[in-house]
Amino acid sequence: MIAVEKISKSFKSTRGTVRVLDNFSCSISDGDFFGIAGKSGAGKSTLLSIIAGLQEPDSGKVLIEGMDIFSLKDKERSSFRNKKIGFVSQEQSFISSLTVKDNVRLPIFLGKDTGQNDSEKKAENLLERLGIRHLADCFPSELSGGENHRVLIARALMNNPSVILADEPTSSLDREQAESVVQIFRRLADGGKTIVMVSHDESALNSCDKIVHL
């Protein structure tokens, strides 16, 4: 499903050039719940961003379903990402003026060749699956942290991607909320989705099939 081949990435800072990833490789199979662990600054979020095609590595390749994503032009890569990858960010990145349901529908609006006719029903079904259908017409500011994370997961699933990338999805949640979010990822992996989760939460990582430590 995902092959990360000899990825290196450096950044310039006041301390000089900092190499956060050095010739890193890993492989992630279909249906894996794959964890990325490590101390702050180890390159976890950078690696996830590279797998998503949001940042380019200094060297190396990322292949998703056999496609070298960095061989694609920017627009092609964006289209590929919108179809194949759902992203759950650390930050609750919503459009505050839109309802929960319309925030979930955003990936449909971004995709040029995806029909929008049934997107409202699809968004409602996803919210139902995640236990928050009753919040469809609310605004993000009215929701709790755990509810907002479920909305982010629903949005990530909107285009039925094969891969879900999650960056510290439990970081701002209490233990009960965190366990609920991790259980959702576990069910998605058991249903065939490939989940890649960055986390420093040992309890969350214990649910993963495989873990790599940076």
Side-chain angles (χ1 to χ4, degrees):
M1 166 56 72
I2 302 173
V4 177
E5 300 181 357
K6 298 182 178 179
I7 290 292
S8 293
K9 183 68 176 179
S10 299
F11 296 100
K12 291 183 178 179
S13 73
T14 55
R15 296 177 290 163
T17 300
V18 179
R19 176 163 286 199
V20 293
L21 294 169
D22 187 8
N23 211 34
F24 176 83
S25 298
C26 70
S27 60
I28 304 168
S29 302
D30 285 339
D32 272 355
F33 187 179
F34 190 90
I36 301 173
K39 295 181 180 179
S40 179
K44 303 186 301 298
S45 294
T46 298
L47 176 59
L48 201 71
S49 183
I50 289 172
I51 293 173
L54 296 170
Q55 288 189 57
E56 290 200 28
D58 299 332
S59 60
K61 294 181 179 181
V62 174
L63 290 86
I64 298 178
E65 296 183 350
M67 172 62 69
D68 178 356
I69 62 173
F70 294 109
S71 70
L72 300 173
K73 295 179 180 179
D74 286 346
K75 287 185 178 180
E76 293 172 331
R77 195 187 313 157
S78 294
S79 177
F80 181 86
R81 181 169 53 243
N82 195 46
K83 292 176 182 176
K84 298 291 185 180
I85 299 173
F87 199 91
V88 181
S89 62
Q90 286 189 56
E91 299 174 0
Q92 295 176 355
S93 51
F94 300 110
I95 297 178
S96 59
S97 60
L98 295 181
T99 64
V100 163
K101 180 167 58 181
D102 285 340
N103 268 285
V104 171
R105 294 168 72 200
L106 283 175
I108 293 289
F109 302 144
L110 294 172
K112 293 182 180 180
D113 53 1
T114 304
Q116 297 183 19
N117 293 337
D118 63 347
S119 65
E120 187 169 354
K121 180 67 173 177
K122 188 173 183 180
E124 290 172 353
N125 287 341
L126 284 169
L127 293 170
E128 179 75 33
R129 280 174 59 191
L130 295 171
I132 51 171
R133 169 65 182 84
H134 60 291
L135 301 175
D137 296 320
C138 296
F139 290 91
S141 60
E142 302 175 88
L143 275 56
S144 70
E147 289 167 343
N148 272 320
H149 274 69
R150 288 173 181 249
V151 175
L152 288 173
I153 295 170
R155 185 173 69 188
L157 291 168
M158 190 65 196
N159 278 342
N160 194 28
S162 48
V163 178
I164 302 291
L165 306 179
D167 192 5
E168 298 284 5
T170 64
S171 61
S172 61
L173 304 181
D174 62 33
R175 178 48 47 201
E176 183 177 355
Q177 291 173 335
E179 288 176 355
S180 177
V181 166
V182 172
Q183 286 171 7
I184 291 169
F185 289 134
R186 180 69 267 170
R187 290 197 299 270
L188 289 169
D190 291 343
K193 299 289 185 190
T194 301
I195 313 295
V196 184
M197 179 179 70
V198 163
S199 184
H200 65 273
D201 182 344
E202 290 187 10
S203 295
L205 290 167
N206 284 339
S207 294
C208 294
D209 302 311
K210 302 173 185 175
I211 302 171
V212 63
H213 293 266
L214 299 184

